[in-house]
Amino acid sequence: MRAPSRPHAALADLRDLAGSDARLYRLARLASLWLLPLMFGIVLVGFEMGPVPGSGCAANAVGVDFTQVWAAGQAALRGGAAEPYDLPRHLQNLREAFGPDCRFAWHYPPVFLLPAAAVAALPPAGAFLAWTFAGVGLLALALRLAGGRAALLVGLAHPLVFCNLVYGQNGLFTAGLLTLGALLVDRRPLVAGLCFGLVAYKPQLAALAPLLLLVTGRWRCLGACLGTVLALCLAALLAFGSAPWLGFLGTIGETDRIILRQAAAGLDLNASAYGAVRLAGGPFALAWTAQIAASFGALALAWRVWATCPDPRLRAATLLAAAPMLSPYVPVYDLAPVVPATVLLVVAAHRAGGLHAYERWLLIAAPLTAGLRVGAEATGICFGLIFALATLTCIAARALPQPATRSLEALP
């Protein structure tokens, strides 16, 4: 009898993995034990090739996007907080600091100048290291609260975490703050509101939380959220004056042109419904129609889960998975909230008796997120949106009330 071929054996092994919770959990834990040192080792080894003055962004191994955070923070520290909103001036600042290859437009509201100025007080290398450890530490705290040490290890080993580390992006802060807020919303409403409000630097991802607080009547948490946002705005106004706010408001149209219409960062980077249509070659009108439908669909789904689901973990997972759906611009690193959402889904499933088959396949597919942008560029298919939708669908299938069915014995 002939031995099965390698492809058939691999397929059989994959099917066996998809049918065993215990084996899947064991594999995830073992993989995280070697992936975590590898990931952080790459970041630390590439650290010297990161945001180094004069090196040029093309030579950077890590931290390319962080260069503009540092440059904007430096401008704020020397009294030029409005400079990041003047594109020619901002590009000049980037060139002077890091070389001619660094060309990023600044689209953040002035509240983000507060942490940018704080890290810019350090030299670029030290600032990037502090930024990295702060983001990882915040997400680690959120993952530990979500599911203990095992969840922390497996969650940090996710490719979307590594994506944020390499870019030097803020997705880990967003994911950590949203997770803490969603988990503490009923136990510590004031702390939860503080966490939600701190995401004001990225309003397109922060919008869902206060909407859910409003429609579900969580007034203390909503008040803390809005109060935090107001305090941040006042702090930025007192620290930097009104010029950055006027500059920010004046660049909203420019942001639409650069980010959405021209897709300066690349169509393959955007994992939103809008981005999926544009990547496939669809017109702007169709892209906006798809985005509006996705936004309202995600909002309605999250509202229903928060109104009917008794499990706080599944409510939190729904918020995390649905939040990116409301934005027309979701770079793949901003899918980071999907990581704790998946962790919370697994924890809820484990406590309910085990994973469903489609949930296991979702976990098996998680390593493929390492190639979301490459796959989109090669095929014209927005795999980031597909993965995010699959995650939200799995969470909703477990969180929403199941239709009542009669047993066979009750049938006439």
Side-chain angles (χ1 to χ4, degrees):
M1 186 175 175
R2 240 179 9 170
S5 65
R6 287 186 179 180
H8 284 89
L11 185 59
D13 190 58
L14 191 61
R15 287 198 187 107
D16 180 64
L17 182 64
S20 170
D21 285 7
R23 190 179 171 203
L24 192 57
Y25 293 153
R26 185 167 60 252
L27 178 63
R29 286 194 294 269
L30 288 174
S32 68
L33 290 177
W34 68 266
L35 278 174
L36 277 175
L38 177 64
M39 287 167 48
F40 287 104
I42 291 173
V43 172
L44 291 175
V45 168
F47 179 67
E48 289 301 324
M49 294 178 288
V52 178
S55 67
C57 285
N60 288 0
V62 294
V64 175
D65 288 5
F66 179 74
T67 55
Q68 73 156 334
V69 176
W70 191 87
Q74 276 282 300
L77 287 176
R78 64 172 180 265
E83 291 179 9
Y85 302 99
D86 180 348
L87 184 57
R89 178 61 182 168
H90 180 60
L91 293 177
Q92 181 182 339
N93 290 341
L94 279 170
R95 284 195 301 270
E96 291 174 355
F98 298 103
D101 301 316
C102 292
R103 296 183 58 82
F104 302 104
W106 181 263
H107 306 291
Y108 292 100
V111 295
F112 196 50
L113 290 174
L114 295 168
V119 295
L122 299 171
F128 179 62
L129 190 62
W131 179 264
T132 299
F133 278 108
V136 170
L138 183 63
L139 181 61
L141 175 63
L143 289 170
R144 182 64 184 264
L145 183 63
R149 192 177 72 167
L152 186 158
L153 292 174
V154 174
L156 287 183
H158 199 285
L160 289 174
V161 174
F162 185 55
C163 175
N164 273 272
L165 295 178
V166 171
Y167 276 100
Q169 268 291 341
N170 51 41
L172 303 187
F173 293 96
T174 305
L177 289 169
L178 288 178
T179 303
L180 291 172
L183 288 172
L184 297 173
V185 67
D186 292 324
R187 286 185 286 165
R188 298 286 189 273
L190 298 182
V191 176
L194 171 68
C195 292
F196 287 143
L198 288 174
V199 192
Y201 63 87
K202 194 153 276 190
Q204 69 273 27
L205 296 183
L208 181 59
L211 289 175
L212 289 177
L213 297 176
L214 176 65
V215 297
T216 58
R218 288 173 165 86
W219 306 117
R220 292 183 68 200
C221 190
L222 178 61
C225 174
L226 297 179
T228 300
V229 174
L230 179 60
L232 287 173
C233 292
L234 288 175
L237 182 63
L238 291 173
F240 309 123
S242 61
W245 288 100
L246 296 174
F248 171 67
L249 295 175
T251 58
I252 291 177
E254 189 76 355
T255 297
D256 172 71
R257 180 182 67 83
I258 294 174
I259 292 295
L260 296 179
R261 300 192 68 84
Q262 292 184 350
L267 287 171
D268 55 327
L269 184 67
N270 190 358
S272 69
Y274 175 96
V277 173
R278 295 294 298 133
L279 179 65
F284 291 109
L286 181 58
W288 277 114
T289 300
Q291 182 57 52
I292 291 170
S295 299
F296 278 103
L299 176 59
L301 180 60
W303 183 357
R304 179 158 171 75
V305 169
W306 273 53
T308 60
C309 181
D311 189 334
R313 290 180 178 82
L314 289 175
R315 292 199 303 268
T318 303
L319 185 153
L320 291 165
M325 298 291 173
L326 272 64
S327 173
Y329 182 62
V330 186
V332 290
Y333 45 76
D334 273 345
L335 290 176
V338 172
V339 176
T342 305
V343 167
L344 288 164
L345 171 64
V346 172
V347 172
H350 181 67
R351 298 193 174 195
L355 293 163
H356 297 306
Y358 53 82
E359 293 169 338
R360 293 191 201 100
W361 282 111
L362 177 70
L363 299 182
I364 291 171
L368 298 178
T369 55
L372 289 179
R373 188 171 187 182
V374 174
E377 182 181 19
T379 65
I381 300 172
C382 188
F383 291 107
L385 177 64
I386 292 173
F387 182 74
L389 284 171
T391 304
L392 181 59
T393 300
C394 288
I395 295 168
R398 184 172 286 276
L400 290 175
Q402 301 300 311
T405 57
R406 294 182 298 172
S407 65
L408 291 175
E409 292 79 9
L411 293 174

